Amino acid sequence: MPNSVQKNIDDLRKVLAQAEEAQVRQTDGRNSEHGGGIEKGPAKVHGKRSDSQEKQSEFKEQKLDHLERYLSDYKKSLSESLDESKYDSAFILLDDFYLIPRSRQPDVIDYLHRLLRGTNFYLKIGTVRHRTSIIRNGEQTIGVELHQDVEEINLDRTLEDLEATSEYLGEMLAALSYTAGVDNPKDTLFNPDAFHSLVLASGGVPRDFLNIFVEAISAANADDQDRWLTPTYIWKGASRLSYRTKLNNLKEEASSDSSPLEKVYQDIISFCLREKKKTAFLVSQEQAQKLFSVHELILQLMDFKLIHVVEPDTSAASGRKGRFEAYTLDFSLFMEPRLRNIEHVEFWKVDSERRRVGVREAPDYDLARAQEAIDNDLQPDGIENTLREANS
């Protein structure tokens, strides 16, 4: 016999199939009967009179009204089911939260937070930072507040602190290698420069780090090279998981929002590789505040690992005033095959004053031209042509 949780699930499935909004007609009725009699001589007459009053009203009912009406019932059902189980707590994992339409994200997380608050259920949500809205402020605040209601755990590392990221990924690889009976994998499996190349190729993302590692081994085995990995095989492995794959992910996951992102990405590639012949660029912090929506696209490209932040707050050389954010293009764009006549900005190198010389000398990308690229009829599928022009 189904328990209360299963009954609620079945009920919600029926609600799911209904229209977003329904016209509801409700009838409130009242009936009353009155008895009476006349007695005259031997004749007796009895009768009943019925009065009927009805009131009809019409209103619109939203699906969300149903969820709100039964919130306390759902909470009680979950808690009772957990109490009846052999477990003290339970975890609810919601992945790819950013695929929910952004305008509705605060409502979804608000409801889940109210549903599970005060219970022994723990909620974990996997999402992409700059495609996520967890709170909406208005007459009534909807959603949750970071560091008040929820805490953030960043599973990816960035290239801002390359040394710390290398150490983190090295420890992860060592833990995995230990189970395979391989000690000290950085010295055993890589030549002196290959591990550094693997960290750069991955952009600090653990999943990409491991995938490129596996692809690099396959490439080396195909050439009968079984001593260790070299940077050449790292870049060959990275090319198999190239920017094309990331661009396809962007198209699939960003859906209708992908075109502006692709246009900005193509313009950045043209600016860096075809015009300035450098792999890094700067964005003015002042412009980022003025052109917030355009800057948001830069951050989303970073989330999709098509570009990587290397310094969130830096000055610029050549007397340029203000503060800047510094980014590098993903290495899969220019390392395999290696583009000619392009300056690879080695952002990890510093001068005697601990300043990142290559970063400070990178060209600054005007966000106004990004807006022009969005507004113009620039075809986002022209990225390949842009790369060919950059290599000519």
Side-chain angles (χ1 to χ4, degrees), residues 59-260:
F59 60 93
K60 291 183 178 179
E61 184 176 54
Q62 303 270 355
K63 274 185 180 179
L64 295 178
D65 296 334
H66 183 97
L67 296 179
E68 289 295 336
R69 189 179 305 123
Y70 293 101
L71 174 64
S72 59
D73 292 342
Y74 298 151
K75 180 190 287 277
K76 180 181 178 182
S77 178
L78 287 171
S79 295
E80 289 178 348
S81 295
L82 185 60
D83 292 340
E84 293 170 0
S85 73
K86 60 181 180 180
Y87 301 103
D88 296 326
S89 59
F91 296 84
I92 295 178
L93 308 179
L94 176 58
D95 201 10
D96 295 336
F97 181 78
Y98 62 96
L99 296 179
I100 297 172
R102 194 161 184 175
S103 61
R104 293 190 175 185
Q105 290 174 5
D107 301 282
V108 174
I109 198 169
D110 180 89
Y111 190 87
L112 291 173
H113 181 248
R114 288 186 290 128
L115 176 66
L116 302 175
R117 184 173 55 199
T119 70
N120 288 324
F121 284 83
Y122 296 87
L123 177 65
K124 178 181 178 182
I125 293 177
T127 191
V128 173
R129 177 182 295 177
H130 297 106
R131 295 192 65 81
T132 304
S133 298
I134 62 173
I135 193 167
R136 181 175 62 247
N137 293 309
E139 294 183 2
Q140 181 182 6
T141 299
I142 302 296
V144 294
E145 188 172 351
L146 196 61
H147 306 308
Q148 295 291 331
D149 304 307
V150 294
E151 293 296 333
E152 179 184 40
I153 301 175
N154 193 350
L155 299 181
D156 292 338
R157 299 301 174 98
T158 69
L159 300 181
E160 294 177 46
D161 188 342
L162 194 60
E163 184 177 349
T165 298
S166 296
E167 183 178 351
Y168 170 77
L169 294 174
E171 290 175 354
M172 180 185 71
L173 182 62
L176 292 172
S177 299
Y178 177 79
T179 62
V182 177
D183 294 327
N184 196 15
K186 287 179 65 174
D187 294 334
T188 304
L189 304 177
F190 301 86
N191 82 353
D193 297 322
F195 186 81
H196 174 74
S197 297
L198 180 55
V199 175
L200 292 176
S202 71
V205 180
R207 178 188 58 193
D208 292 348
F209 177 89
L210 294 175
N211 286 335
I212 294 171
F213 173 60
V214 171
E215 294 293 342
I217 292 175
S218 297
N221 287 338
D223 289 345
D224 294 325
Q225 300 294 329
D226 56 3
R227 182 185 177 189
W228 54 17
L229 295 174
T230 65
T232 297
Y233 292 113
I234 296 298
W235 299 123
K236 284 185 177 181
S239 69
R240 299 182 183 185
L241 303 168
S242 68
Y243 72 93
R244 295 178 184 87
T245 302
K246 297 178 181 180
L247 202 56
N248 287 333
N249 291 339
L250 181 151
K251 291 178 180 179
E252 292 174 1
E253 297 179 356
S255 61
S256 61
D257 297 334
S258 65
S259 182

Side-chain angles (χ1 to χ4, degrees), residues 23 48 145 283:
Q23 192 78 17
K48 289 185 178 179
E145 188 172 351
V283 171

